[in-house]
Amino acid sequence: MRILRIQTLRGPNYWSIRRHKLIVMRLDLEELAEKPSNQIPGFYEGLIATLPSLEEHFCSPGVRGGFLSRVRQGTMMGHIIEHIALELQQLAGVNVGFGRTRETATPGVYQVVIEYSDEQAGRYAARAAVRLCQSIVETGTYPQAELEQDLKDLRELYRDAALGPSTETIIKEVEARDIPWMQLSARAMIQLGYGIHQKRLQATLSDFSGILAVELACDKEGTKQILRDAGVPVPHGTVINYLDELEGAIAEVGGYPIVIKPLDGNHGRGITIDIKAWDEAEKAYDVARQISRGVIVERYYRGSDHRVLVINGKLVAVAERVPAHVVGNGKSTVQELIEETNRDPNRGEGHDNVLTKITVDRNSMTLLQRQGYTLDTVLPAGVVCYLRATANLSTGGIAVDRTDDIHPENVWLAQRVAKIIGLDIIGLDIVTPDITKPLRDVDGVIVEVNAAPGFRMHVCPSVGLARNVAAPVLDMLFPNGGTGRIPIISITGTNGKTTTTRLIAHIYRQTGRIVGYTTTDGIYIDDHVVEKGDTTGPQSAQVILKDPTVEVAVLETARGGILRSGLAFDKCDVGVVLNVSADHLGLGDIDTIDQMAKVKSVVAESVSINGYAVLNADDPLVAAMAERVKGQVAYFAMNPANELVQNHIRKGGLAAVYENGYLSILKGDWTLRIEQAVNLPVTMQGRAPFMIANALAASLAAFAQGVPIEAIRAALTTFRASVNQTPGRMNLFNLGHYHALVDYAHNAASYEALGSFVCNWPGERIGIVGGPGDRRDEDFIELGKLAAKIFDRIIVKEDDDLRGRPSGEASELICKGIIQEKPDRQYEILLKETDAINTGLDRATAGGLVVILPESITRAISLIEMRNPLPENINHLQTADIPANLQSSVVNKV
C-alpha cells in the first residue's frame, strides 16, 4: 500500500457540512486492490489480537461487533484503515467517530476520510493505520511495542496541541453561544468573532485588559503599595536584592514567621512560607533568587488560601485552595499514598487535566522533614501529610468552592480592588482564617493579585459546585447576546464568480460599510489591494475574516479550496451558486458533473438557518441543491416563466428575474423593478445574457440581506466591466479602427456565454484561445469546436504553466476540435501567449474584434495598453465607425 496524498479539512466540506475537522487520505492499495480481507491469510486473527477494542465499532450492520463481522466476511483495506485510524485516536483519549471510504475512478485507489481533533495527530493516526495493516498483512501481527509507541506519540501530540484549561473553558462557552473562533499564529492568541466585531484572548487576558493594569499586577511590590495606599489590607513586607539585606528585612516586617518569594514569580514557584529560623530563611532566599533577582520578604499570615475571581467588576467565584497532600490509612507509606493519589484519572501532567499529579522535589522533602516524616513513613489513619507549602493546583493542590460563603464586605473589597488595579479579569489571592468574616476582623490580607488568572479551580473544584466563569467573560466581550459575526456572502459556481463577487462588494459599498472581498485577482479591503493573485481559497478568506476593519465579507469560493481545506467559515449568511458545468473534471477525484455539483453545494448547505441560499433556477443541478439547504432559498432566473420560480413566489418565496427588459425582485404577489438591463454597463447594453444573470444573483444576494433597492440600483448603474472593477471579465478596449476584448473564459460554458455576445459583432472576429493544461483531452476538443463556431479566424496558444502536459499537446487537441466542427476555418498555432496576442492585434481589420482569452490577464492588458486605447470619454465621441447596435455597449479602459 502507498499513501499518495493526505489533506486536512478545517471547515464545511465535500464529505460533511457539520463535521469540519477531517483528514482525507488518498491511498493506493496496490497489491491489495483486489483482495478483500477474507482472502488475506491470518489478517482477521492478527487484527483482533492487535486491536480487540474494534469490537465496539458498529459499522453498517449497526450492532456491536458489526465492523469485525465485515472484516471476517471480507471488506476492502481502505475501509479497514478508516476504522483503525479512528480507533487509534480513541485509544489515545480523543472521541472521534466519523469516517468515510470511497474508491476513486482509478481502480484500487481510495479516499479514506477520518475525523480528527488535532491535525497533526489525525495525520499521524492515518499513517499509523496504514503501517499497522501492512504489518498484519505481511507478518500476521503488529508488534505491541509499536502500538504502544503509536499511542504514546498520539497522546503527546494531543497534549502539545491542547488549549490551556482556562482557554478551553472559554471556548466551550463560545461554541455554546455560536460565536466563531480561530487560533491566531502568534502568542497563543484566540480570535473570537469576525472582522470588526472580533475580540482576542490570550488565556484569560482579553482585549479589555489594559497594559498598565497587567504590568502593575506583575509588579507584586508595586501592587501592594497601591493597595496599601488605598486602605486595602495587604501583608507588611519589603523587597531586597542581596543576601546581606535579608536580616534587616526580617526585622522590618516584625520578625518570624515570614514568607520569602520571588518578585516576578508565578504558579507558586520559588515561594517558601512559615519560615521560623535564619537557616530556613537563607535557603528560601536562594530558592527565590533562582526565579527572580528581586526577592520579597513578608510577614506570614496564618489562614487558608483563597482565590477570588472578579470579572468585569463583579465577583463570580471563590475557591479555597488546599496544598498537595496525602491522608494516611495506617498501612501505606507516604510514597505509596502519593502513587495512589496520582492514579486518580482526574490528575494529569501540568495543566492537561482537572488536577495535576503530585511530584516530589527538594521543597517537598524539606516540608516532609519539618513535619517529621520521610517518604517511607507509614501515616496513621486520618493523618494529613502536606507535600507543598503553597496551594497552587499546578503543584498538585485541590480546590474547594466557597463562592456562597464569602462575606459581603469581602465581596465589596474584592470588587473595589479590581477597580483599583484596573483589570477586567483578575484573580485575588486572599489568606484568611475565615472567609465568612470581614478580613479586618480576622487579620486576613490580600497577598497578591493576578492578571490572567486560571479558571480550572472554579470550573472543576474537587469539592463543591462548579462555576461557569466563562459566561461573564463572554457577557463582557459580547454584551446583549452578541455573536461577533459579520455578514458573510459566499459565491461559487463554474463561471461568473469573480464578476458577481465584485458586483456584490460594489453594492455593499453603497451602504457606507467597509467591505472585504476575495477574488481570482486578489484580496481587497475597502477597495485597497491587500494581496494580488488567485485568492479564492480558505486562507485568503481568513485574511478578510481576521481583519478588524471589515464590516462585510464577500468571498469568491472556488472548488479547489473547498476540496483542499473546506470553507474558511462555519456558516454564511448568503450562499450564491451561479451554475455548474463540466470544468475541472478529473481533478481532485471529481470526475462527474454530479460530483462537481456536490462540491459547489457545500456553499449552499453552509447557509445559516436565518440566511439565504441564492440559487440559479435555470440550472437543474443548482436548483436541486435547495433540498439540502437548512436556511431559506431565493432563486434567480433569466426566464421569468420558470416553473420553479413561479411556484416559489406563489408560496411567498423570494426571487429575482429578467422580465420585460428589467432586472426585478419578486416576493409573493409583488414585483420590485431594479433597473432596465440596457442601463447597466456590465450587461453590455443588455447584450450579454450571462452578465445579466450575474447581476440578478448579486442583486438578490444583497436584497436578501436587507440592502435597500436604491443602493442596489446605484451600484448596478455605476459598475462597469473595466480593468479597474472586473479585470479580465469582458474588458472591451477601443483601439481606433477595431476593438479588443479580454476575458478569462477557459471552459466550455464560459466560451458559450462569451459567444452569446461576440457572435453579434458585425466585423471580423479573431479569437486568441487556449486552456489550462490540467483539463481532459475531450475538454480541449470541445473548446476547439466552440471556438470554430464563434470566431472567423483563430490563433491557438498555450499557457506558460503547462500543468503537466507536453508542450504543443493542448493546442493540437484544440485544433482537432476546430477541424471537426469547421474543417475550413482559418487557424494557426502560436504557442507563446505574447506572440499570439501581438499577432492577433496586428491582423485586426477595420470594425473587427480581437478576443483574447489569456492565462495572464495583466500581461494581456499591458500589451493592449502599449497600443494606446482611447479613453472612455473620447470613445463616446468617436464611435461612428462602430455599428449602431453595438455603440453603446462599448466599455473602455478607465
Side-chain angles (χ1 to χ4, degrees), residues 103-332:
E103 189 172 16
T104 69
T106 304
V109 175
Y110 286 76
Q111 285 182 304
V112 180
V113 181
I114 61 164
E115 188 178 5
Y116 70 84
S117 176
D118 169 65
E119 290 184 17
Q120 295 303 318
R123 296 169 77 95
Y124 183 104
R127 293 191 295 268
V130 174
R131 289 198 310 271
L132 187 150
C133 284
Q134 189 72 56
S135 176
I136 295 175
V137 168
E138 294 174 354
T139 68
T141 186
Y142 188 62
Q144 184 65 26
E146 291 286 333
L147 178 61
E148 290 174 0
Q149 185 63 49
D150 288 336
L151 297 179
K152 179 175 181 292
D153 291 345
L154 281 170
R155 292 186 186 105
E156 288 179 356
L157 287 169
Y158 282 122
R159 185 164 53 247
D160 292 345
L163 300 172
S166 299
T167 305
E168 185 176 344
T169 296
I170 294 173
I171 293 304
K172 286 180 179 177
E173 182 69 15
V174 161
E175 293 176 342
R177 296 187 182 207
D178 195 32
I179 298 172
W181 68 279
M182 63 183 81
Q183 290 180 270
L184 301 180
S185 55
R187 301 188 63 82
M189 286 194 297
I190 303 290
Q191 176 179 317
L192 309 180
Y194 292 142
I196 196 170
H197 298 311
Q198 68 177 265
K199 297 293 185 291
R200 291 179 181 174
L201 288 174
Q202 185 187 60
T204 57
L205 290 174
S206 83
D207 279 349
F208 298 165
S209 304
I211 187 170
L212 290 179
V214 173
E215 290 290 336
L216 177 58
C218 293
D219 178 358
K220 291 179 173 36
E221 191 61 22
T223 297
K224 195 163 58 176
Q225 187 61 50
I226 290 284
L227 294 180
R228 181 182 294 113
D229 292 345
V232 176
V234 295
H236 182 47
T238 187
V239 178
I240 62 174
N241 293 293
Y242 302 99
L243 180 61
D244 59 11
E245 299 175 301
L246 178 58
E247 188 172 5
I250 295 172
E252 182 180 341
V253 301
Y256 302 107
I258 60 170
V259 175
I260 294 180
K261 58 186 177 181
L263 180 63
D264 301 322
N266 55 33
H267 297 300
R269 293 181 303 166
I271 297 177
T272 307
I273 67 173
D274 197 14
I275 300 168
K276 300 174 181 176
W278 174 254
D279 59 337
E280 293 179 39
E282 280 188 308
K283 292 177 183 178
Y285 175 85
D286 292 337
V287 170
R289 274 300 297 262
Q290 293 176 13
I291 307 297
S292 170
R293 178 177 178 180
V295 173
I296 297 174
V297 180
E298 287 180 346
R299 174 188 161 197
Y300 176 62
Y301 291 80
R302 299 193 181 278
S304 299
D305 183 298
H306 298 80
R307 167 61 60 84
V308 176
L309 181 64
V310 179
I311 298 175
N312 199 24
K314 299 293 183 184
L315 186 146
V316 298
V318 179
E320 180 181 346
R321 298 184 295 182
V322 181
H325 66 278
V326 292
V327 180
N329 58 14
K331 298 179 293 183
S332 304

Side-chain angles (χ1 to χ4, degrees), residues 459-538:
V459 176
C460 301
S462 306
V463 179
L465 294 177
R467 305 290 172 168
N468 182 1
V469 295
V473 173
L474 296 180
D475 290 341
M476 174 182 69
L477 297 177
F478 300 100
N480 304 316
T483 62
R485 294 182 180 272
I486 60 174
I488 297 176
I489 298 89
S490 176
I491 302 94
T492 195
T494 302
N495 297 304
K497 296 187 296 296
T498 297
T499 299
T500 305
T501 298
R502 284 180 167 272
L503 185 47
I504 293 173
H506 188 61
I507 291 172
Y508 268 100
R509 280 199 296 275
Q510 312 308 306
T511 67
R513 283 180 277 186
I514 293 177
V515 182
Y517 62 99
T518 60
T519 72
T520 52
D521 311 313
I523 303 172
Y524 299 82
I525 295 177
D526 202 24
D527 253 6
H528 297 284
V529 179
V530 175
E531 181 180 328
K532 296 294 289 183
D534 188 345
T535 58
T536 57

Side-chain angles (χ1 to χ4, degrees), residues 621-633:
L621 288 171
V622 176
M625 296 176 188
E627 298 177 1
R628 301 189 294 277
V629 173
K630 297 189 295 292
Q632 303 173 80
V633 174

Side-chain angles (χ1 to χ4, degrees), residues 725-759:
Q725 288 190 311
T726 56
R729 272 73 185 175
M730 295 294 287
N731 302 147
L732 189 60
F733 299 83
N734 185 349
L735 288 160
H737 69 285
Y738 71 97
H739 286 73
L741 178 69
V742 177
D743 193 83
Y744 190 58
H746 59 282
N747 56 55
S750 56
Y751 268 48
E752 289 174 345
L754 180 68
S756 67
F757 173 78
V758 173
C759 288

Side-chain angles (χ1 to χ4, degrees), residues 575-825:
V576 181
V577 186
L578 298 171
N579 42 59
V580 179
S581 60
D583 189 26
H584 295 96
L585 296 184
L587 301 176
D589 291 314
I590 303 302
D591 301 300
T592 69
I593 195 167
D594 287 332
Q595 290 176 325
M596 184 60 73
K598 184 180 177 184
V599 175
K600 306 290 186 184
S601 181
V602 171
V603 168
E605 294 178 59
S606 297
V607 169
S608 67
I609 192 71
N610 296 316
Y612 272 92
V614 173
L615 306 179
N616 185 350
D618 294 330
D619 186 326
L621 288 171
V622 176
M625 296 176 188
E627 298 177 1
R628 301 189 294 277
V629 173
K630 297 189 295 292
Q632 303 173 80
V633 174
Y635 293 107
F636 68 94
M638 291 293 290
N639 174 18
N642 183 293
E643 185 177 354
L644 179 61
V645 171
Q646 291 301 316
N647 289 336
H648 184 64
I649 60 175
R650 275 195 291 269
K651 297 175 182 177
L654 182 65
V657 298
Y658 180 49
E659 51 88 28
N660 298 319
Y662 282 87
L663 280 75
S664 300
I665 300 289
L666 308 179
K667 176 73 172 176
D669 295 332
W670 54 259
T671 298
L672 183 61
R673 285 180 167 173
I674 302 172
E675 186 56 84
Q676 287 182 291
V678 293
N679 296 330
L680 310 183
V682 74
T683 71
M684 298 289 190
Q685 191 77 3
R687 293 183 174 87
F690 61 98
M691 285 296 196
I692 297 175
N694 292 341
L696 284 172
S699 301
L700 187 56
F703 187 83
Q705 273 287 291
V707 176
I709 200 74
E710 294 77 15
I712 297 173
R713 182 180 297 117
L716 294 182
T717 54
T718 57
F719 186 83
R720 299 179 178 276
S722 65
V723 173
N724 287 345
Q725 288 190 311
T726 56
R729 272 73 185 175
M730 295 294 287
N731 302 147
L732 189 60
F733 299 83
N734 185 349
L735 288 160
H737 69 285
Y738 71 97
H739 286 73
L741 178 69
V742 177
D743 193 83
Y744 190 58
H746 59 282
N747 56 55
S750 56
Y751 268 48
E752 289 174 345
L754 180 68
S756 67
F757 173 78
V758 173
C759 288
N760 291 322
W761 196 275
E764 183 183 51
R765 304 182 298 272
I766 298 175
I768 301 167
V769 306
D774 55 2
R775 302 312 195 261
R776 303 170 302 174
D777 289 358
E778 57 264 39
D779 295 332
F780 286 108
I781 294 172
E782 181 63 21
L783 294 184
K785 290 180 178 180
L786 291 169
K789 293 178 181 179
I790 299 169
F791 303 111
D792 301 309
R793 283 193 284 157
I794 304 168
I795 300 175
V796 183
K797 52 86 180 178
E798 288 190 340
D799 293 350
D800 297 342
D801 182 1
L802 298 175
R803 304 194 187 188
R805 280 190 181 269
S807 178
E809 185 175 88
S811 58
E812 290 292 344
L813 289 167
I814 292 175
C815 292
K816 183 177 179 181
I818 295 172
I819 295 169
Q820 288 180 9
E821 184 66 29
K822 289 190 180 295
D824 58 346
R825 179 65 75 225

